[in-house]
Amino acid sequence: MGLTEDDRPVLLDPTIRTSAEESELLYAAGPVVRVELPGGVPAWAVTHDAPAREVMRDSRFVKDINRWGAWKRGEIPADWPLIGLVDLGPSLVSTDGPEHRRLRRPVAREFTPQRVEALRGRVEEITRELLDRTERAADGSGGVVDLKDTFAFPLPITVVGELFGMPTDWHRPLRELYDSFFDDKAAPETVLATLQGLYGYIAQLVRLKRDEPGADLTSALLSELGDEPSEEAVEELIATIQVMITAGHETSVHLIVNAVRSLLGDPAQLELVHTGRYSWDDVVEESLRLDSPTLNFLFRFATEDIDIAGTLVREGEGVVISYGGMGRDRGQHGADADRFDISRRPRHTSFGHGPHSCPGSALARLETTIALRELFARFPGLRLADPDGPPERSPSVIINGQRTLPVRLG
């Protein structure tokens, strides 16, 4: 599919190396690297901070899948495991220019720092309830509990679920669907069933709110469409809500897990927070830099031949933004960029840059800061259940996560 043996692309495969090893490999390979995605799909990865920022604000790189040469030539199957991250339908992450601004505007308005700050009390309440549940789970399991399952996942899905008016009994089946959605090794029939399942839940949510509007974001977005919205407008809304629910919880899940693991693996860093020298905000920013919850972001497509840091990307080729590589950029973060250091207070790009920067970044920061503060205040003796065991990486080249986080509460 366009690559020769001489090109020697970096194979992105969560089964052959850790996310940290992959990030180091991509960064060391240079600012623009040929990669091979699961399924043998070729692409370019931009791995250094400055050229990645350039790509993210360059209007010649677009999100429209129909500008992807391999897609137009029929080389990408409809059941490719990562297709749900590229063929999104008309949403704020798959459009550009005026169309993107139109779709993004109502969502961004709901996620301003002021509106997110108003959620603080409710996020704290949910956090404490989940810590109670976590303690009960540990009491019933000999003291060891999977913190991802009892705390890191339910916190953001509960928050975003309440924002959009989602029934609480959807949380568990949605988690199973998202685990499948971010599984690069999913069988073709599973890929299609997962995409249909996720669409079905969001379409049902929109129908529920059309029939019985409430004080939630889904109802607010629906009201902007008028009394008789077109089918096209409803499809745009479904795609946008699906993107927001996905990004609105998945990022925070892995950010919480990665930050907890880094702190438990380096007690001296945790002590810097306990003594007041640095804050939980500093922990969150350093975690975002070194262990960005999004490892690689698909796709931007070149609309013409474009030079990036001395490498020619041809029209129609796909470009991946490697947040993992960018976080280890020595020119941006220093010679010890591979080390977790909350005193660094980094200028990072883990929530994107330019028109497509993440509108929910303030919420992710709020949730994670509260989660870490309350968790370590409640369980000061928290420790890894198996400190010498390597984490089992999530089966995704997109998500920087681990399957579980077994801990002892004290």
Side-chain angles (χ1 to χ4, degrees):
M1 297 175 66
L3 292 180
T4 69
E5 291 184 4
D6 292 337
D7 288 311
R8 294 187 178 181
V10 175
L11 177 62
L12 302 187
D13 186 336
T15 66
I16 61 177
R17 62 178 74 91
T18 68
S19 57
E21 291 169 342
E22 182 174 288
S23 297
E24 281 290 336
L25 177 63
L26 288 172
Y27 170 74
V32 183
V33 183
R34 278 198 179 276
V35 296
E36 182 180 312
L37 296 165
V41 174
W44 293 100
V46 186
T47 68
H48 291 197
D49 196 83
R53 285 172 176 263
E54 290 180 14
V55 169
M56 286 188 274
R57 62 173 179 260
D58 190 332
S59 61
R60 296 175 298 172
F61 288 100
V62 300
K63 305 300 289 290
D64 182 1
I65 191 174
N66 295 305
R67 304 303 294 266
W68 189 12
W71 177 259
K72 291 192 294 184
R73 294 189 297 270
E75 297 170 358
I76 309 299
D79 55 10
W80 181 46
L82 304 184
I83 195 63
L85 295 160
V86 187
D87 189 15
L88 297 163
S91 76
L92 72 167
V93 297
S94 60
T95 54
D96 299 280
E99 188 74 355
H100 170 254
R101 290 191 290 273
R102 178 181 67 82
L103 292 169
R104 180 186 173 97
R105 193 175 298 117
V107 173
R109 189 168 58 238
E110 299 296 331
F111 286 92
T112 63
Q114 295 79 12
R115 293 202 175 194
V116 168
E117 181 59 30
L119 299 172
R120 178 178 292 275
R122 181 57 182 146
V123 174
E124 291 174 338
E125 184 180 4
I126 295 169
T127 298
R128 290 162 187 158
E129 291 171 356
L130 290 172
L131 290 175
D132 290 342
R133 185 189 306 176
T134 298
E135 187 167 25
R136 290 194 296 270
D139 289 342
S141 61
V144 176
V145 65
D146 177 6
L147 200 67
K148 180 180 177 182
D149 183 66
T150 63
F151 183 60
F153 168 75
L155 173 57
I157 196 66
T158 301
V159 173
V160 79
E162 289 187 359
L163 277 175
F164 284 91
M166 181 195 305
T168 56
D169 59 0
W170 290 10
H171 294 180
R172 184 57 55 175
L174 278 173
R175 176 179 179 180
E176 294 173 1
L177 285 170
Y178 280 118
D179 283 346
S180 175
F181 183 74
F182 288 107
D183 184 351
D184 297 348
K185 304 297 184 182
E189 61 273 15
T190 302
V191 172
L192 297 176
T194 298
L195 295 176
Q196 292 167 359
L198 288 171
Y199 176 88
Y201 271 104
I202 308 307
Q204 184 180 353
L205 177 63
V206 170
R207 288 194 298 271
L208 287 173
K209 297 305 173 180
R210 287 184 70 174
D211 294 339
E212 297 183 19
D216 55 76
L217 188 49
T218 303
S219 299
L221 293 172
L222 265 169
S223 69
E224 296 193 9
L225 303 183
D227 293 335
E228 296 184 8
S230 67
E231 183 177 341
E232 179 182 13
V234 172
E235 288 300 312
E236 286 181 349
L237 180 60
I238 291 171
T240 292
I241 292 175
Q242 183 166 331
V243 166
M244 292 306 300
I245 290 176
T246 303
H249 87 276
E250 194 74 24
T251 297
S252 296
V253 171
H254 302 295
L255 182 53
I256 292 168
V257 169
N258 294 346
V260 170
R261 183 168 185 89
S262 292
L263 289 169
L264 295 182
D266 192 342
Q269 293 290 306
L270 183 57
E271 184 64 18
L272 291 176
V273 185
H274 286 324
T275 59
R277 291 182 60 189
Y278 295 94
S279 69
W280 293 113
D281 290 334
D282 295 321
V283 174
V284 171
E285 296 311 310
E286 178 66 351
S287 297
L288 283 165
R289 177 198 70 84
L290 183 62
D291 258 336
S292 171
T294 302
L295 197 61
N296 302 291
F297 198 93
L298 310 180
F299 263 132
R300 284 169 171 80
F301 306 108
T303 58
E304 59 184 79
D305 292 355
I306 304 171
D307 182 278
I308 311 173
T311 296
L312 184 64
V313 175
R314 297 289 187 182
E315 178 184 354
E317 292 186 317
V319 173
V320 174
I321 302 298
S322 173
Y323 290 114
M326 292 163 65
R328 287 166 168 73
D329 189 331
R330 271 58 169 178
Q332 177 71 16
H333 303 296
D336 64 343
D338 60 337
R339 186 171 67 88
F340 182 73
D341 179 4
I342 65 172
S343 71
R344 196 184 308 272
R345 292 177 170 163
R347 172 183 171 271
H348 62 77
T349 319
S350 295
F351 282 121
H353 181 67
H356 284 278
S357 60
C358 177
S361 59
L363 180 58
R365 284 182 164 105
L366 178 74
E367 289 173 339
T368 307
T369 302
I370 291 172
L372 295 175
R373 184 194 73 205
E374 296 294 325
L375 173 67
F376 284 97
R378 178 74 168 269
F379 305 117
L382 186 72
R383 62 190 188 277
L384 296 173
D386 183 11
D388 298 323
E392 185 181 1
R393 182 178 171 183
S394 294
S396 172
V397 300
I398 307 302
I399 293 300
N400 178 20
Q402 57 189 76
R403 291 181 184 270
T404 61
L405 182 62
V407 299
R408 291 187 179 276
L409 301 185

